[in-house]
Amino acid sequence: MKKITIGILAHVDAGKTTCIESMLYTSHEIKKAGRVDHQDSMLDYDVQERERGITIYSKQTRFQWNGCEIYVIDTPGHIDFSTEMERSLQVLDLAILLINAQDGVQAHTETIWECLTRYHIPTIIFVNKMDISFRTQDELMADLEKKLSDNCVDMDGADHEEKLAMVNDEMLNAYSEKGTIPLSLLQESLYKREWFPVYFGSALKHEGIAALLDAVTDLAFDREYPDEFGARVFKINEDGIVMVKITGGMLRPKDVVNDEKIDQIRSYSGEKYTLLHQAQAGDVVGLKGNLSMRTGQGLGFEKDQQESLLSACLEYDLLLPAGTDALMLWPYCEKLAREDPQLQLTYHEHSKTISLSLMGEVQKEILQKKIEEQTGIHVGFTQGKVVFRETIENEEYGVGHFEPLRHYAEVHVLLDPLPAGSGIRIVNENRIENLSLGWQQQIMNALHYRHRGVLTGSELTDVKICFIAARGNQKHTSAQDFSQAARRAVRQALRKGRSILLEPYYEFEIGTPAGSLSRVLYELDQMKADFEISSSEDDMTIIRGKGAVRLFMNFQSSLYALTKGRGRFIPRSISYGACREQAQIVEQSGYDPDSDLRNPTGSVFCAQGSGYYVPYDEVEEHMHLHPLEIENTTTYKAVRYTINDEEAKRVFEMTSGRNQNEKKKVIPHKKVKADLSFEEVKIEPKKPQCLIVDGYNMIYSWSSLKDLARVDYDAARERLIDALSNYQGYKGIEVYVVFDAYRRAENPGVRNEIRGKLNIVFTKYGQTADSYIERLVHDLKKKYSLIVATSDGLIQNAILAQGATRLSARELEGRVMRTNTLAFGHMNNPF
């Protein structure tokens, strides 16, 4: 059976959801078509979607038509959710672009068209709402040809075959010889995006839907998929279900994909699903399990999604109610970031705030309500600020070394600039022959990281990162060590080279009355925009141009004032380009790359049993590998030799042991009597073990505590203390648990409590738990063998450099739970 994945895309209010309801009804998948205004449509089942009457999240359904299995993905039409729409494009076989017959091609429609062009998706156009349109088909076709493509073909038009014949030479020859064009040529040309079929109708009245579905099944290729497994992740829903399209091979429950086991495979139709025993190539399914997959990830042979064309360019800080700590909200924020990577969530340690990137006001309102429903916390937002990015000017070489006590890794990279919009590309060009494939894969995984630039700390983009060499130690090297070294290598290269600051630019359209034209043009000139007058219609003049987003943030209000309320400003698309005021922006940011502890530019080396920090400009003097001196090529040349009998006899005698010089006198070595006495070896006494716990970090990381903490933090803290007290008593080790009380002004100094043999510490006002733990490690390292339990990467370097070992929050939770179960197995487990 032919399997086809289609996506419905349109400007808001074009009738996407109504169109899908009509498809389901026409194909007899449902008995009654729902309506958006009646809040009973099959796919808009989210409460906020029904309240607002718009699609917010992409969803999928399926039905059969003409013997084909059709998967339909409904995408949001509102510009604020464009990234949700774009993520679905890479799994489509065909796109159906809806046009509202009342409005024609709108600004956001052109943005969608740019996305379809970039991803090279064959497209069928359906002009909806013809039952209430005041425009004729000819007028609408003229609009499509002008704004989208000259090769839009009205399939109901009397001359549509003649127009198709003009698309390319093959179709012209076929039409000239036979008077018709074979379906295979139409399919091939459609998939090359050389022509675009256009259909007219009304989804609400089910007019034109059957013809549209016929076109989908006729014009779609019957794809041949490879036997090797491959899939693309295009969405992760609120329940953690990973939505994928299988692009090769087969998948069954309990299979392991990218080192993760699949528990269930679900086939969705709206919010309902059925469990599958297997999924085949061409299927769109949901995967359930304890999965850490991310949106845009390629599975199997598939590569990760390329850089998005649409992205938020404004960043906001969350405003929290008084007394609410950002860390209480962070676990839920991490879940949101996994569902939508374009949110670009960041926790700022120095200010204890959370920032995120948003497309607009509607998305802001949706997110605000969603957070309150799930956590009970009502958040606000600061005024948006522009999101900058950074890239590099020329090729640069970088090295990162990470060698605190009992750790070792060194990674070398080459950075190359890429064309604008390319994103980050990671390639393996390893030059070390004996580096294991496992270590190489760990390094490649480590390089897939949101690298920060050195000008303003903004995200790095448009760079190819070539991994060229690395060294590890069989005993001491871990994946985390490679991660540290790899990130330091990238930062060291950036710090040495020349970086370019990128800022977002609007492609815009402005409509202004002729009487206000000169004032508007003067204002655009003051904002250093590039523009031109496109056309004049009646009393309105259309201006098209490009300008920096940071200068246009309040332009709509200014335009209303300049034109007495008649002007309109339409931002079409956003792209990044070189900042024209780089020096000024960098100075205003105040960013110091060498003081960024989360993204260090230098490296850590080891001498005399302790680690020491080496600045970026001295690292290459200390590095252990020199990969630029190694050729990354291996040649083989076969040469045929002929030997005579004497040479063959000589070689045979050598292999038989007769290669000694018989004339040479052999003098036997004098035997020396071994001294069997021995010197007493002094054995250093084993240090007692001490566990230091970052209490606040555990509370919001342990699955058994984080839900309770949202409701009653004090209760969660007491439960953690009880569990650690039991663990300390059973293990007989020294335990310190440190709680972060630095934000409590009434807390004058460090407060210590002892419960049994458990040491409980509350830091003083203005002192973080991180800084206290770092000092405690320094004070206790000579007396104890130290283990620090924290999932905070910021403190990691400091504790590792002083000889302590690190235990993640999840590992400690597992140990404590197992110990409590073992100790109290015959009773109720108190934890």
Side-chain angles (χ1 to χ4, degrees):
M1 180 184 292
K2 186 195 290 188
K3 297 177 180 178
I4 309 167
T5 304
I6 64 174
I8 314 296
L9 303 96
H11 188 280
V12 69
D13 292 332
K16 293 185 310 302
T17 303
T18 305
C19 183
I20 295 176
E21 292 288 325
S22 183
M23 288 179 174
L24 294 170
Y25 177 78
T26 304
S27 63
H28 305 294
E29 184 70 23
I30 57 177
K31 295 181 180 179
K32 179 185 177 182
R35 292 181 52 159
V36 175
D37 52 345
H38 293 173
Q39 298 188 359
D40 61 353
S41 58
M42 181 178 179
L43 293 185
D44 283 350
Y45 49 79
D46 182 81
V47 175
Q48 293 201 63
E49 288 180 321
R50 291 188 168 179
E51 287 178 355
R52 293 174 180 270
I54 61 173
T55 300
I56 299 172
Y57 312 105
S58 62
K59 305 176 198 68
Q60 51 283 329
T61 186
R62 67 186 190 282
F63 60 86
Q64 293 188 8
W65 185 262
N66 289 344
C68 299
E69 184 83 12
I70 299 178
Y71 294 93
V72 184
I73 298 179
D74 183 20
T75 64
H78 199 285
I79 191 171
D80 282 13
F81 307 101
S82 299
T83 56
E84 180 89 0
M85 175 272 295
E86 188 181 2
R87 282 193 292 270
S88 305
L89 297 185
Q90 293 198 17
V91 300
L92 301 184
D93 298 316
L94 276 173
I96 296 178
L97 178 62
L98 259 63
I99 305 293
N100 187 337
Q102 294 177 300
D103 302 320
V105 177
Q106 297 178 275
H108 188 51
T109 311
E110 295 184 65
T111 301
I112 296 171
W113 189 259
E114 289 179 19
C115 290
L116 293 171
T117 302
R118 177 183 180 179
Y119 293 104
H120 206 76
I121 299 174
T123 305
I124 298 174
I125 299 171
F126 183 73
V127 183
N128 192 25
K129 302 187 180 182
M130 286 300 295
D131 55 324
I132 56 174
S133 175
F134 59 87
R135 296 186 178 190
T136 65
Q137 286 191 201
D138 290 340
E139 290 174 337
L140 289 165
M141 280 302 303
D143 190 40
L144 293 173
E145 291 171 351
K146 178 183 177 181
K147 296 180 179 178
L148 299 185
S149 171
D150 290 335
N151 285 342
C152 292
V153 180
D154 181 0
M155 300 305 286
D156 293 331
D159 61 341
H160 75 276
E161 286 197 332
E162 287 83 353
K163 189 167 184 179
L164 284 171
M166 302 305 294
V167 170
N168 60 42
D169 291 341
E170 285 184 285
M171 293 169 71
L172 178 60
N173 292 336
Y175 184 73
S176 300
E177 293 174 4
K178 302 178 182 179
T180 185
I181 303 173
L183 178 61
S184 60
L185 289 181
L186 292 175
Q187 289 177 324
E188 184 179 348
S189 182
L190 177 68
Y191 272 74
K192 290 180 179 178
R193 287 182 57 86
E194 292 179 342
W195 71 286
F196 307 95
V198 180
Y199 294 86
F200 294 84
S202 169
L204 185 63
K205 296 186 176 180
H206 313 301
E207 296 172 357
I209 297 299
L212 177 64
L213 292 177
D214 287 341
V216 168
T217 54
D218 289 343
L219 293 173
F221 275 128
D222 190 0
R223 290 198 168 190
E224 293 184 5
Y225 293 97
D227 294 332
E228 182 184 359
F229 174 76
R232 294 176 180 170
V233 180
F234 67 92
K235 179 180 173 61
I236 298 175
N237 67 20
E238 284 189 320
D239 299 324
I241 305 300
V242 179
M243 302 304 304
V244 303
K245 179 180 180 180
I246 310 295
T247 57
M250 185 180 296
L251 184 66
R252 296 182 178 89
K254 309 307 178 185
D255 282 354
V256 176
V257 177
N258 288 35
D259 299 325
E260 296 184 290
K261 188 174 74 172
I262 308 300
D263 293 335
Q264 291 181 358
I265 302 176
R266 300 178 175 183
S267 179
Y268 276 86
S269 185
E271 60 182 334
K272 298 180 180 179
Y273 65 87
T274 55
L275 295 179
L276 301 180
H277 296 295
Q278 67 179 27
Q280 297 178 334
D283 290 341
V284 177
V285 296
L287 308 180
K288 183 182 180 186
N290 187 20
L291 306 176
S292 60
M293 298 170 184
R294 63 187 184 277
T295 303
Q297 182 178 359
L299 308 179
F301 67 80
E302 288 286 0
K303 296 181 179 179
D304 291 350
Q305 179 181 348
Q306 57 185 297
E307 184 83 357
S308 296
L309 179 65
L310 305 174
S311 60
C313 63
L314 294 179
E315 184 181 66
Y316 302 81
D317 290 340
L318 289 181
L319 298 175
L320 304 179
T324 303
D325 198 293
L327 279 176
M328 297 177 65
L329 192 60
W330 183 245
Y332 181 69
C333 290
E334 286 183 312
K335 179 183 175 184
L336 291 175
R338 189 162 172 259
E339 295 172 17
D340 183 2
Q342 292 296 330
L343 288 176
Q344 298 288 311
L345 279 154
T346 305
Y347 176 71
H348 302 282
E349 180 68 30
H350 63 283
S351 60
K352 306 296 180 183
T353 57
I354 297 172
S355 65
L356 70 167
S357 299
L358 298 173
M359 294 287 285
E361 293 299 318
V362 175
Q363 187 185 13
K364 190 188 298 183
E365 293 171 11
I366 296 291
L367 193 63
Q368 185 180 47
K369 191 169 184 178
K370 192 174 181 180
I371 291 174
E372 186 169 10
E373 288 174 353
Q374 295 294 323
T375 66
I377 300 174
H378 182 76
V379 301
F381 298 89
T382 60
Q383 186 175 0
K385 53 188 177 184
V386 168
V387 176
F388 291 93
R389 293 181 182 175
E390 297 182 29
T391 189
I392 58 175
E393 185 173 330
N394 300 304
E395 180 187 80
E396 192 56 69
Y397 164 74
V399 56
H401 191 98
F402 187 68
E403 192 187 0
L405 188 63
R406 294 195 294 273
H407 294 267
Y408 184 91
E410 182 169 297
V411 175
H412 298 249
V413 297
L414 279 176
L415 306 189
D416 275 320
L418 292 176
S422 301
I424 298 291
R425 283 181 54 205
I426 313 294
V427 296
N428 187 345
E429 296 182 358
N430 175 49
R431 303 181 180 186
I432 305 299
E433 294 182 0
N434 60 352
L435 188 66
S436 71
L437 292 177
W439 276 359
Q440 291 184 47
Q441 188 57 49
Q442 288 180 357
I443 294 164
M444 293 296 287
N445 292 339
L447 288 172
H448 283 87
Y449 176 80
R450 283 175 58 190
H451 299 282
R452 298 289 179 181
V454 295
L455 297 176
T456 61
S458 302
E459 186 172 359
L460 189 68
T461 189
D462 300 339
V463 174
K464 181 174 75 171
I465 303 176
C466 302
F467 156 55
I468 60 171
R471 175 181 284 181
N473 181 284
Q474 292 290 346
K475 182 178 180 181
H476 296 304
T477 300
S478 66
Q480 187 63 30
D481 297 336
F482 278 130
S483 177
Q484 284 282 340
R487 289 161 56 184
R488 291 168 189 267
V490 174
R491 291 278 288 179
Q492 198 254 356
L494 293 173
R495 190 69 177 87
K496 292 192 308 177
R498 294 190 61 182
S499 295
I500 301 173
L501 187 66
L502 305 176
E503 69 172 323
Y505 287 84
Y506 277 136
E507 295 279 352
F508 61 79
E509 179 182 297
I510 295 174
T512 176
S516 307
L517 179 61
S518 60
R519 293 193 296 271
V520 173
L521 294 179
Y522 175 78
E523 193 72 19
L524 292 175
D525 188 62
Q526 291 297 303
M527 293 190 293
K528 301 178 182 178
D530 299 323
F531 58 88
E532 62 179 13
I533 298 176
S534 174
S535 61
S536 295
E537 299 176 4
D538 300 328
D539 187 38
M540 295 294 289
T541 300
I542 306 301
I543 305 169
R544 293 179 181 267
K546 180 178 180 180
V549 170
R550 61 186 170 87
L551 301 176
F552 277 81
M553 291 180 64
N554 299 311
F555 182 70
Q556 183 67 70
S557 301
S558 301
L559 183 63
Y560 279 154
L562 291 171
T563 62
K564 299 181 180 179
R566 295 181 60 194
R568 68 176 188 274
F569 173 71
I570 304 172
R572 292 189 174 277
S573 61
I574 296 172
S575 59
Y576 274 80
C579 179
R580 297 173 180 174
E581 301 174 1
Q582 174 170 316
Q584 180 183 346
I585 300 297
V586 171
E587 184 179 358
Q588 289 175 353
S589 73
Y591 179 71
D592 181 5
D594 298 324
S595 300
D596 189 344
L597 297 181
R598 285 189 179 273
N599 303 282
T601 56
S603 289
V604 177
F605 287 81
C606 188
Q608 299 180 350
S610 63
Y612 63 95
Y613 182 80
V614 175
Y616 80 93
D617 53 350
E618 300 176 16
V619 171
E620 292 174 28
E621 300 173 9
H622 295 72
M623 65 186 184
H624 296 172
L625 291 174
H626 298 274
L628 297 183
E629 301 173 6
I630 301 173
E631 289 293 333
N632 194 24
T633 58
T634 302
T635 60
Y636 174 79
K637 183 179 181 181
V639 181
R640 183 184 294 272
Y641 290 98
T642 303
I643 62 174
N644 56 31
D645 292 340
E646 286 187 19
E647 181 69 13
K649 181 179 178 181
R650 187 182 69 80
V651 172
F652 176 77
E653 289 177 347
M654 289 176 64
T655 58
S656 303
R658 297 187 58 189
N659 58 343
Q660 300 95 342
N661 186 346
E662 296 179 358
K663 297 180 180 180
K664 183 177 179 180
K665 186 177 181 181
V666 179
I667 302 174
H669 292 288
K670 184 178 180 181
K671 293 184 179 180
V672 180
K673 187 176 181 181
D675 185 3
L676 300 179
S677 63
F678 63 92
E679 196 174 313
E680 185 178 355
V681 178
K682 185 178 180 181
I683 301 176
E684 290 289 335
K686 185 178 180 181
K687 294 179 182 178
Q689 197 174 78
C690 178
L691 172 67
I692 302 174
V693 180
D694 185 343
Y696 206 83
N697 191 265
M698 298 302 111
I699 288 174
Y700 289 104
S701 297
W702 286 18
S703 58
S704 51
L705 291 177
K706 58 186 179 182
D707 291 335
L708 176 61
R710 296 191 187 102
V711 180
D712 189 342
Y713 170 72
D714 292 335
R717 184 182 59 205
E718 290 302 314
R719 184 172 292 187
L720 174 66
I721 291 173
D722 290 343
L724 292 175
S725 180
N726 294 334
Y727 180 75
Q728 183 275 328
Y730 187 82
K731 291 290 187 179
I733 62 175
E734 194 78 13
V735 177
Y736 286 82
V737 55
V738 181
F739 291 101
D740 206 335
Y742 79 103
R743 296 180 71 173
R744 299 185 178 182
E746 70 276 8
N747 178 22
V750 176
R751 181 163 58 91
N752 296 311
E753 296 180 9
I754 297 180
R755 304 247 186 117
K757 294 186 178 181
L758 180 70
N759 300 284
I760 305 169
V761 179
F762 295 89
T763 63
K764 65 182 179 180
Y765 177 63
Q767 183 182 29
T768 64
D770 292 352
S771 61
Y772 186 89
I773 290 173
E774 187 176 345
R775 185 172 63 82
L776 190 63
V777 168
H778 179 271
D779 293 343
L780 299 178
K781 65 181 180 180
K782 293 183 179 179
K783 183 178 179 182
Y784 294 101
S785 174
L786 296 171
I787 301 174
V788 178
T790 179
S791 289
D792 190 341
L794 189 62
I795 194 178
Q796 176 173 289
N797 297 348
I799 62 174
L800 293 178
Q802 297 193 57
T805 56
R806 174 181 169 269
L807 193 67
S808 70
R810 181 179 294 181
E811 289 175 302
L812 180 61
E813 182 182 20
R815 292 186 185 186
V816 171
M817 294 292 284
R818 286 193 296 271
T819 300
N820 276 270
T821 301
L822 182 64
F824 299 93
H826 60 287
M827 302 182 292
N828 292 327
N829 191 331
F831 186 52

